[in-house]
Amino acid sequence: MATPDELERQYTLLSAAARFDALRTRDALAPPPDDVDGLDAGDNGNDGNDGNDGDNGNGAESDAATDTTAPLTRKEALELLALGEVLARKAAYGRQLSVRSARRAGASWSQIGAALGTSKQAAWEAHNRWIDEQAKQDRKAGHWGLNDKEIDAARTLAGELDN
């Protein structure tokens, strides 16, 4: 099963959105399941492994992956959920980069809050939480974040709420 952390490294925002859209569209267009108890075909509900994980046993994708109206496999349904989280993370990161750009261009927190459809305080607090998270990420092995110098610059740019 793919996790959001794995998929986040694998996909850009654009490619994650395209894959999410393809899976979501197929899920929406698929006919309803035949069985009334809600179990996938071949799933007895006991072991959690019905072989319906999107591959045909030899690692190759099943025909369901190429059929645009086939119901999602369990593996694909879980991938769809994980991709939703990836999109949310990437959008939030991009949002905060845009906030930084707006501050660099001289926008006030009131203007930024209005552009985000929120209050200036909520916008400022969200941005400062993002800066804190970037500081934590930089200290983790294998993660990109902001180093101490970049954190100081980000905090200076963010300024106080009244600015």
Side-chain angles (χ1 to χ4, degrees):
M1 178 183 82
T3 66
D5 289 340
E6 293 167 354
L7 293 177
E8 195 170 12
R9 288 187 293 273
Q10 181 181 346
Y11 288 104
T12 65
L13 178 59
L14 187 58
S15 62
R19 176 67 176 154
F20 179 88
D21 186 51
L23 289 173
R24 185 69 198 110
T25 299
R26 204 173 104 219
D27 189 41
L29 295 176
D34 290 336
D35 58 335
V36 289
D37 64 359
L39 296 176
D40 290 336
D43 185 357
N44 63 14
N46 294 330
D47 63 4
N49 183 8
D50 61 3
N52 192 18
D53 62 359
D55 71 41
N56 61 12
N58 64 8
E61 287 295 316
S62 68
D63 290 337
T66 57
D67 183 353
T68 58
T69 59
L72 298 180
T73 64
R74 177 179 295 150
K75 180 178 177 181
E76 290 170 325
L78 292 170
E79 180 185 2
L80 180 63
L81 286 171
L83 282 167
E85 176 60 24
V86 168
L87 290 172
R89 289 179 186 183
K90 288 185 178 288
Y93 185 81
R95 180 184 208 186
Q96 294 309 318
L97 292 177
S98 296
V99 167
R100 286 178 62 187
S101 295
R103 287 294 292 174
R104 240 184 249 115
S108 69
W109 282 108
S110 293
Q111 292 169 319
I112 291 169
L116 295 174
T118 189
S119 68
K120 67 181 183 179
Q121 181 172 347
W124 183 81
E125 288 173 355
H127 190 65
N128 278 286
R129 281 192 304 273
W130 177 81
I131 293 170
D132 293 341
E133 185 60 31
Q134 291 306 303
K136 291 178 194 172
Q137 290 296 323
D138 191 58
R139 293 179 184 100
K140 291 182 182 176
H143 289 276
W144 291 332
L146 300 177
N147 63 34
D148 290 339
K149 183 178 177 181
E150 293 166 328
I151 293 294
D152 289 343
R155 291 204 190 287
T156 299
L157 182 61
E160 296 299 320
L161 184 57
D162 297 329
N163 297 337

